[in-house]
């Protein structure tokens, strides 16, 4: 014990120096946005690699279950594609024109497969990490889907990893519509359940029933129309009574989410640059 006290007494100035250095670094990154962003990106890369190793071990012991889910997701994607084609055919009445339009849409949109290496469900601000980043063409504000439906939006991207804001985040707002009716609103999560969210701002004159599907509306630059979100399980009123508030059972099981796809669009960088320029212009005008 005396030797330990003697050691601390002898090295006290060095220990104090190290403590003050650590404290200054913490204050630097916490109260300076640029240094903070550098730290977040670096930490994201390191943590992402650790999460990827951990996820790889877990997935190794669940290969059979993953294969079954991938089969189910492929079937679901094929059904969604067939439904979109049928709706276009009803509108066009011409198989040649419909096939040409489908090829044009599919040609612009690409699905970049990714693995979920970290996920949370019990926080109000849940985030998940995927093993794709800027080096793969992933940018913030790109959409993320699974074979069963909507997942979320890319929030932050480093070179090889990205953080996604899922539907299960109280800050998430995604435009949606009731399938085959056209009434639209936005999907919102209140933090209470990992299986349910709410569709807000549905007009009072809307006609629909429980059991009907909610999907992306296409009224955004992030998601094309028709991506499944979930099924209406309950019809309620908004706090002010001026619109409906619908409980939606999410089609994506976030507790078992392992494989996702990032929606990359050939026109996305151009649209993102234009949107940024418009926002900067409005900021200068104000």
């Amino acid at each position: 014990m005396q030797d330990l006290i003697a050691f601390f007494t002898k090295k006290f100035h060095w220990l104090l120096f190290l403590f003050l250095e650590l404290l200054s670094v913490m204050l630097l990154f916490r109260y300076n946005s640029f240094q903070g962003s550098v730290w977040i990106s670096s930490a994201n890369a390191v943590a992402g690699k650790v999460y990827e190793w951990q996820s790889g071990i877990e997935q190794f012991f669940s290969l059979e279950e993953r294969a079954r889910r991938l089969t189910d997701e492929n079937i679901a994607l094929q059904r969604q594609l067939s439904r979109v084609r049928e709706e276009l055919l009803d509108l066009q009445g011409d198989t040649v024109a419909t096939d040409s339009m489908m090829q044009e849409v599919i040609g612009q949109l690409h699905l970049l497969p990714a693995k979920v290496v970290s996920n949370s469900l019990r926080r109000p601000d849940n985030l998940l990490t995927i093993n794709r980043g800027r080096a793969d063409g992933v940018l913030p504000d790109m959409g993320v889907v699974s074979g069963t439906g909507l997942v979320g939006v890319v929030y932050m991207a480093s070179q090889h990893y990205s953080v996604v804001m899922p539907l299960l985040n109280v800050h998430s707002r995604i435009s949606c519509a009731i399938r085959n009716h056209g009434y639209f609103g936005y999907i919102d999560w209140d933090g209470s359940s990992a299986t349910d969210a709410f569709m807000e701002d549905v007009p009072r004159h809307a006609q629909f029933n429980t059991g009907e599907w909610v999907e992306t509306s296409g009224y955004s630059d992030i998601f094309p129309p028709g991506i499944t979100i979930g099924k209406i399980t309950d019809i309620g009123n908004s706090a002010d009574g001026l619109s409906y508030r619908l409980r939606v059972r999410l089609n994506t099981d976030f507790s078992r989410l392992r494989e996702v796809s990032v929606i990359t669009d050939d026109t996305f960088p151009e649209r993102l640059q234009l949107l940024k320029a418009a926002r900067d212009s409005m900021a200068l005008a104000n």
Side-chain angles (χ1 to χ4, degrees), residues 58-192:
E58 293 175 353
Q59 291 180 21
F60 176 78
F61 292 102
S62 60
L63 290 177
E64 183 177 350
E65 177 66 16
R66 287 177 58 208
R68 185 190 65 78
R69 288 203 306 272
L70 284 173
T71 301
D72 293 342
E73 291 176 357
N74 284 331
I75 294 172
L77 283 172
Q78 291 173 9
R79 288 176 177 173
Q80 289 184 27
L81 188 61
S82 297
R83 186 180 60 80
V84 171
R85 188 182 187 281
E86 290 173 0
E87 291 183 359
L88 285 174
L89 185 58
D90 289 339
L91 293 173
Q92 294 286 334
D94 183 351
T95 56
V96 176
T98 298
D99 290 339
S100 176
M101 186 177 296
M102 288 287 291
Q103 289 298 325
E104 181 178 351
V105 172
I106 293 172
Q108 289 182 348
L109 296 176
H110 304 284
L111 294 179
L112 178 68
K115 291 183 179 179
V116 176
V117 298
S118 173
N119 193 8
S120 62
L121 297 173
R122 302 183 183 278
R123 298 169 55 91
D125 53 351
N126 292 304
L127 296 171
L128 58 89
T129 305
I130 60 175
N131 66 340
R132 297 286 190 173
R134 292 181 181 272
D136 305 294
V138 178
L139 297 172
D141 293 330
M142 284 185 169
V144 182
V145 298
S146 71
T148 54
L150 192 68
V151 173
V153 178
V154 175
Y155 178 67
M156 180 184 296
S158 64
Q159 279 297 103
H160 303 291
Y161 296 92
S162 297
V163 175
V164 178
M165 180 186 293
L167 285 174
L168 302 184
N169 187 304
V170 294
H171 302 292
S172 174
R173 298 287 189 279
I174 296 174
S175 178
C176 61
I178 301 175
R179 182 176 294 172
N180 299 326
H181 291 283
Y183 303 116
F184 62 90
Y186 66 91
I187 202 75
D188 179 38
W189 188 62
D190 66 353
S192 62

